[in-house]
Amino acid sequence: MIGRLMLFNPGIARRAAAALVPALLAAALYTMGIKSSWIGSLMPVASDWLQANPALSRALSAVLIALLVLVNCKLLLLLPRRQQIAGVWIELFALLMLFFYSFDLSFAFIARKVGFLITQGVATTLYISAISILIATTIALIGAIAKLTGNGLVFGLATFYTSLFRGLPLLMQIYIIYLGLPQVGYVIGAVPAGILALSLCYGAYMTEIFRAGIESIPRGQSEGATALGLSPGQTMALVILPQAMRVIIPPTGNQFIAMLKDSSLVSVVGVWEIMYLARTMGQTEFRHIEMLITASMIYWMLSIALEFGQAYLERRFGRSERRA
C-alpha cells in the first residue's frame, strides 16, 4: 500500500520524506540529551523557564536545531553544485572547530609546540610512509604476478605471504620484526623495522588489488600483444598495467592514506614521528588533548594532499575512457 502510494504520488512521498528527516533528527538530538543553554544565551528572558522545564527545553532545543538544519539545507540547494560542496565543507569545518574550542584548549601551548611537531614529526612520518609506499607497491606487483602464474611453487609462496601478513595485526608485525629479528642474530633499528612492517603488511593488501586490476583487463589484450611480437614482460608493462591502473589507483590510494595513518604505530618502538612527539610533548605540561588534536589535524591535512594526488592520477589514467 505504501509502495503504491509512493509510486503514483511521488510529490506526496517527497514531502513526507522532507518532514520525516527533521523529525528523526530532532528525536535523535533529544535522545542524546541536547542542551538548551544556547537558547538562554540568545534569549536571556527565557533562561528561568528553560531551567524550570528541562524536558521541554531539551525538546525545544532539538526541534529548533532540526529546523535550522532543514533551512540550511534548503538554502544550500539553491546554490550551484560547486558552491554547495564548498558551503558544506565550510560549515562542517566550522562546527568541528567549534567542537574543539569547547574543550578549553590552550592555544598558546599549541603554538609553542606545533613548529617542532611539523619539522620533526611530519618529516619523519613522510619519510617512513614514502619509502614504505614504494616498497609495498613493488611487493604488490610481484605478488600479483606470482598469484596469476601457473607455477604452483610461486603461487603457494604468494598466497602464504598474503594470508600471513593480512592475518596478523600491524602492531604485532612491528613488535615481531623489531624484537624478534635480534633473537636470530640480526639487530634492526626502529625506523627500518617500522618501514619493513608497513611495507610487508600493505604489500599483502595491495597484492590483491593489483591482481584484481590485472585480471579486469580482457584476455584479448594480452593475446593481441603476443601476436604483435611483444614479450610477456613488455605486454605487462606496455599493455596490461596502463589499462589496469584505472582499476588499481582508487583502492591503492585508500591504502596509501591508511598507511600514512598507521605509520603512527611505529611510535611504539620509539620513532619520533607525529604521534610519538604529540604524546611526549603533551605529557610535559599535561596537555594531552591539545597535542592529540593538533596531530589529528596534521594527519588530516596530509591525507587531503594524498587525496588530491589520487584524484590527479585517476583523471590522468582515465583520459582514454573520457575520449571514448
Side-chain angles (χ1 to χ4, degrees), residues 86-127:
V88 169
W89 270 75
I90 292 172
E91 290 182 359
L92 292 179
F93 184 77
L95 288 175
L96 180 64
M97 293 298 101
L98 184 63
F99 174 66
F100 288 156
Y101 183 77
S102 65
F103 293 168
D104 191 24
L105 304 176
S106 174
F107 294 100
F109 177 78
I110 294 175
R112 291 199 311 269
K113 302 295 184 178
V114 69
F116 184 69
L117 190 63
I118 292 175
T119 56
Q120 175 64 45
V122 172
T124 304
T125 296
L126 291 178
Y127 166 74

Side-chain angles (χ1 to χ4, degrees), residues 161-183:
Y161 158 70
T162 55
S163 176
L164 176 64
F165 285 95
R166 288 195 302 171
L168 294 179
L170 177 57
L171 184 60
M172 187 67 69
Q173 296 179 38
I174 295 173
Y175 277 128
I176 290 175
I177 292 173
Y178 183 66
L179 300 177
L181 289 181
Q183 302 299 317

Side-chain angles (χ1 to χ4, degrees), residues 121-295:
V122 172
T124 304
T125 296
L126 291 178
Y127 166 74
I128 292 173
S129 300
I131 297 178
S132 301
I133 285 170
L134 292 175
I135 298 175
T137 302
T138 304
I139 293 174
L141 181 58
I142 296 173
I145 295 173
K147 296 192 76 169
L148 294 173
T149 186
N151 188 307
L153 176 62
V154 175
F155 180 82
L157 290 172
T159 52
F160 180 83
Y161 158 70
T162 55
S163 176
L164 176 64
F165 285 95
R166 288 195 302 171
L168 294 179
L170 177 57
L171 184 60
M172 187 67 69
Q173 296 179 38
I174 295 173
Y175 277 128
I176 290 175
I177 292 173
Y178 183 66
L179 300 177
L181 289 181
Q183 302 299 317
V184 295
Y186 183 77
V187 179
I188 186 171
V191 172
I195 292 174
L196 183 58
L198 287 169
S199 302
L200 291 173
C201 180
Y202 279 91
Y205 285 105
M206 291 164 56
T207 293
E208 293 301 314
I209 295 173
F210 275 64
R211 180 194 59 78
I214 292 172
E215 287 189 327
S216 69
I217 305 304
R219 186 178 296 274
Q221 296 289 320
S222 57
E223 293 174 351
T226 302
L228 292 174
L230 273 66
S231 66
Q234 291 174 323
T235 300
M236 180 61 66
L238 301 177
V239 179
I240 303 300
L241 279 181
Q243 298 181 75
M245 292 304 290
R246 290 186 293 104
V247 180
I248 291 172
I249 286 175
T252 301
N254 292 336
Q255 293 297 316
F256 287 169
I257 293 173
M259 181 190 291
L260 175 70
K261 294 181 294 183
D262 281 348
S263 65
S264 62
L265 293 177
V266 302
S267 64
V268 298
V269 291
V271 178
W272 283 32
E273 48 74 61
I274 297 174
M275 187 56 64
Y276 179 85
L277 291 177
R279 287 205 316 266
T280 303
M281 292 189 294
Q283 290 172 355
T284 59
E285 298 183 28
F286 300 99
R287 292 287 183 178
H288 301 280
I289 192 65
E290 280 85 347
M291 285 293 94
L292 291 178
I293 289 177
T294 304

